[in-house]
Amino acid sequence: MSVDTEVPARTGNRVAAILVSLALAGNNAASYVLSLAAARLLAPGAFGELSSLLAVLVVGVVPAMGLQTVVALRVARSPGLAEGSLFALGLVTSAIVATTALMLSPLLVLLLHLGSLAPALLVTAALGPLTLLGVFHGLLQGSHRFAVLSGLIALEGVGKVGGSLAGLLVSGTPTGALAGAAIGSLAVVVAGWQLCGRPRPRWADRHGGEVFHTAQAMLALVLLVNLDLVLARHTLLAGEAGQYALGAIVTKIAYWLPQAVGVLVLPRFAVSDRRRRVLPVALAVCACLDALVLLVSLVLGPSLLAVIGGARYAGSTMPVWPFALAGSLLALVQILLYARLADGDRRVTALMWSAVGVEALLITTWLHGSPTQVVTAAACTAGALAAAGAVLEVRSRKPA
């Protein structure tokens, strides 16, 4: 009897993994298409403006990631928990993010040398609904409704990225692209609200401190995934920085390839006994998936840069496998981070931010003589962080 019930469960997990992986891959591909289209339709200055604003948008949705994680864990622990209180939490978080972005809009104009306030205001308009969308992702993730979740993720790509592309094609300006992103994101939020049963806000239980703590940890992870690229641009020669940017694409591939694993296992981490059983399996699956990226980067070597960036990089001798290794280790860090957050371990936030500081210090003061040195610093930091996260997990299992 146990065999009969286990087989459908495993089959369902495989189907869910495929659906979520396809949705996430589609979103990433859509973002890449948007960048290509913008590079061809906009003048270099306008393209730089749009790219910088989209980067701000990526950082700005970190509270949505924290919100999704908290909501998913809450729902997984207490399936009967009123969705209205979590929806209220999302509304409050969304309002805080949008208000903060609105207050910082004039500063954004100065920092990014924008021609007007309109693009910064449109970033604010997009951040509000994108933050609220984290609630609906979390509700679906925590209740194991992965097929519906994959549909919402795909719809997010259509709304946000498709809206940006439509606005770009119609107006031919960064402002139009951001307006399309804001409108598309709002439409996706309405769809998510419908898919989650049209919850009504209940203002009794907000869990705001938990979201703030989780968002801090997630922000540190986002910085670690992108910090080496920013510091390479700052410390390396222009040509070397360009090669490094291509290598960083391999890092992103290795980091994003196992993303579906984290989505699937996070609700299971909500229960201690399940987490202890599932975590080693999740880490092993991530390692196996990223072993493929590492193998390809070892076999093709520097010629992989020409495959990604074109003939102008055909003569590069920069090794690519350290980039794959760095991304693979960051994927393991993410799984371990989810496990520690599910256990309510506040030490992991300090650990994540310590890693950010160590990597910045290594690259700015020592390892910046070549692209290989910079990526070595990033890989070593990620490896040390993964080891430290594993130690925290092992220690948490020992009886007091």
Side-chain angles (χ1 to χ4, degrees):
M1 184 68 180
S2 61
V3 174
D4 292 338
T5 57
E6 189 69 21
V7 172
R10 290 178 180 174
T11 303
N13 287 339
R14 286 197 294 267
V15 172
I18 292 171
L19 290 174
V20 173
S21 297
L22 288 174
L24 290 170
N27 270 10
N28 291 329
S31 297
Y32 182 64
V33 169
L34 174 62
S35 296
L36 289 179
R40 286 160 174 75
L41 293 173
L42 298 176
F47 176 63
E49 177 182 320
L50 179 60
S51 297
S52 62
L53 289 168
L54 291 176
V56 170
L57 206 55
V58 169
V59 176
V61 297
V62 167
M65 298 165 61
L67 186 62
Q68 176 181 344
T69 303
V70 169
V71 170
L73 290 172
R74 288 279 176 177
V75 172
R77 290 192 189 108
S78 306
L81 185 66
E83 294 180 351
S85 64
L86 298 174
F87 183 45
L89 172 66
L91 290 173
V92 171
T93 306
S94 176
I96 292 173
V97 169
T99 301
T100 303
L102 182 62
M103 294 172 60
L104 293 177
S105 292
L107 180 61
L108 199 62
V109 173
L110 292 175
L111 290 176
L112 300 182
H113 308 290
L114 305 178
S116 69
L117 189 60
L121 294 178
L122 287 168
V123 168
T124 299
L127 278 177
L130 288 174
T131 301
L132 185 56
L133 192 59
V135 171
F136 305 128
H137 282 160
L139 289 173
L140 296 173
Q141 184 181 7
S143 57
H144 299 266
R145 297 172 62 190
F146 295 117
V148 181
L149 175 61
S150 62
L152 184 58
I153 292 172
L155 192 60
E156 179 184 358
V158 173
K160 183 179 70 175
V161 181
S164 299
L165 187 56
L168 181 63
L169 292 173
V170 170
S171 69
T173 64
T175 301
L178 291 167
I183 295 170
S185 299
L186 182 60
V188 176
V189 164
V190 174
W193 180 69
Q194 295 277 350
L195 290 172
C196 291
R198 305 179 188 178
R200 298 293 191 274
R202 294 177 58 185
W203 305 100
D205 189 13
R206 298 191 178 101
H207 317 295
E210 190 176 359
V211 173
F212 180 70
H213 159 65
T214 305
Q216 287 186 70
M218 299 304 292
L219 177 59
L221 179 62
V222 170
L223 288 176
L224 279 174
V225 174
N226 297 280
L227 182 62
D228 61 316
L229 180 58
V230 175
L231 293 178
R233 176 74 178 177
H234 176 69
T235 58
L236 298 176
L237 298 175
E240 292 178 327
Q243 291 186 59
Y244 197 95
L246 280 181
I249 294 176
V250 178
T251 301
K252 298 296 194 302
I253 291 172
Y255 174 69
W256 283 108
L257 183 62
Q259 285 297 295
V261 178
V263 173
L264 294 175
V265 301
L266 179 62
R268 293 173 173 82
F269 285 170
V271 180
S272 296
D273 291 340
R274 284 188 179 182
R275 185 181 73 250
R276 292 171 182 177
R277 294 195 307 268
V278 172
L279 178 58
V281 178
L283 292 173
V285 172
C286 283
C288 289
L289 289 172
D290 277 331
L292 297 175
V293 182
L294 189 57
L295 180 61
V296 170
S297 64
L298 281 168
V299 171
L300 295 181
S303 63
L304 184 59
L305 295 177
V307 175
I308 297 173
R312 73 180 70 179
Y313 297 97
S316 175
T317 59
M318 184 182 73
V320 181
W321 68 266
F323 292 90
L325 179 61
S328 302
L329 291 169
L330 286 170
L332 298 180
V333 166
Q334 184 180 49
I335 297 295
L336 289 164
L337 174 60
Y338 283 156
R340 293 290 77 228
L341 290 174
D343 198 39
D345 191 345
R346 297 296 177 99
R347 294 173 297 176
V348 72
T349 301
L351 184 62
M352 295 294 295
W353 282 104
S354 297
V356 172
V358 167
E359 183 172 318
L361 186 64
L362 281 175
I363 295 174
T364 55
T365 63
W366 181 26
L367 297 174
H368 56 252
S370 68
T372 302
Q373 286 190 4
V374 174
V375 73
T376 297
C380 289
T381 302
L385 183 57
V391 169
L392 285 181
E393 179 64 29
V394 171
R395 287 183 176 178
S396 72
R397 300 186 182 198
K398 294 180 179 180

